[in-house]
Amino acid sequence: MRRFLRLPDFLTCFDQNGDGNVDIFIIHDNRFYQYYNMGDGTFAQVAESSIFMGDLADWHFQPFNRPLIADIDQDGDSDMLVVADNGNLHLFRNPNWTAYEEAQPPKSAPQLHYNPMTQSLQLQTEHQDSHQISLFNQQGQLLLSTTISAGMAAALPALPLGLYWYQLRTTNTDYSGPLLLGR
């Protein structure tokens, strides 16, 4: 296992690959390290890469922007959600159990924007039809289900600031992703 000259920026342990053994996940000096527990008291390094680029290249770990490791896209493996210093959200999916890749929304994907002044969601989309939007908390509980059209706003119930998950249904496609309610 790699030795670090100082404490890693972020370390967590969880069953990364679904084999019932607790694995190790480390982020240090803008690099990501992943070790699988072999079940015999040893760990095997399965990944080391520099995944943080763009506005994450000079990312500084703080208590408020620690990565969230969870099965965000509900495909059976762990994903990582990171908030950059400038407030942008970055979702890293784990499609093959060994490498995190930053998820990119399709070019024509609708976008939701939160307006803290009016406590409402604004829909930006190329499609003019109405969309069904559902908003969930981190425990998967449905908080809001309403219909919204392009350019329109949907009022939100009084919700605490934090991370939520949305699902947007159009006539032909479903979209989902993280939504950060903040000021």
Side-chain angles (χ1 to χ4, degrees), residues 106-119:
K107 297 283 188 229
S108 62
Q111 295 184 5
L112 286 175
H113 301 282
Y114 173 65
N115 183 337
M117 299 302 287
T118 61
Q119 290 189 321

Side-chain angles (χ1 to χ4, degrees), residues 60-154:
H60 299 94
F61 282 84
Q62 303 293 331
F64 62 85
N65 71 349
R66 290 184 0 179
L68 170 68
I69 307 288
D71 185 10
I72 295 171
D73 57 9
Q74 299 180 3
D75 65 353
D77 58 29
S78 64
D79 306 300
M80 179 173 48
L81 186 65
V82 178
V83 180
D85 290 342
N86 65 5
N88 289 340
L89 284 174
H90 295 268
L91 173 62
F92 293 89
R93 289 197 169 111
N94 184 0
N96 58 11
W97 293 100
T98 61
Y100 284 87
E101 301 168 357
E102 186 160 12
Q104 299 296 327
K107 297 283 188 229
S108 62
Q111 295 184 5
L112 286 175
H113 301 282
Y114 173 65
N115 183 337
M117 299 302 287
T118 61
Q119 290 189 321
S120 64
L121 292 177
Q122 183 87 24
L123 177 64
Q124 182 180 350
T125 179
E126 297 172 0
H127 309 285
Q128 296 305 314
D129 54 344
S130 60
H131 299 64
Q132 179 68 33
I133 183 168
S134 301
L135 187 64
F136 302 89
N137 64 15
Q138 291 186 29
Q139 289 74 39
Q141 296 170 318
L142 179 65
L143 303 174
L144 171 74
S145 182
T146 189
T147 302
I148 187 172
S149 298
M152 302 301 290

Side-chain angles (χ1 to χ4, degrees), residues 11-96:
L11 180 140
T12 190
C13 300
F14 58 97
D15 183 9
Q16 166 68 28
N17 57 359
D19 66 358
N21 296 317
V22 178
D23 306 308
I24 299 173
F25 177 91
I26 298 170
I27 298 175
H28 184 67
D29 287 340
N30 212 13
R31 295 189 66 78
F32 140 78
Y33 304 88
Q34 191 172 346
Y35 297 91
Y36 282 171
N37 183 337
M38 304 310 292
D40 60 3
T42 64
F43 290 84
Q45 184 172 341
V46 293
E48 176 182 345
S49 63
S50 179
I51 57 174
F52 300 126
M53 299 169 219
D55 61 354
L56 287 175
D58 296 319
W59 184 33
H60 299 94
F61 282 84
Q62 303 293 331
F64 62 85
N65 71 349
R66 290 184 0 179
L68 170 68
I69 307 288
D71 185 10
I72 295 171
D73 57 9
Q74 299 180 3
D75 65 353
D77 58 29
S78 64
D79 306 300
M80 179 173 48
L81 186 65
V82 178
V83 180
D85 290 342
N86 65 5
N88 289 340
L89 284 174
H90 295 268
L91 173 62
F92 293 89
R93 289 197 169 111
N94 184 0
N96 58 11

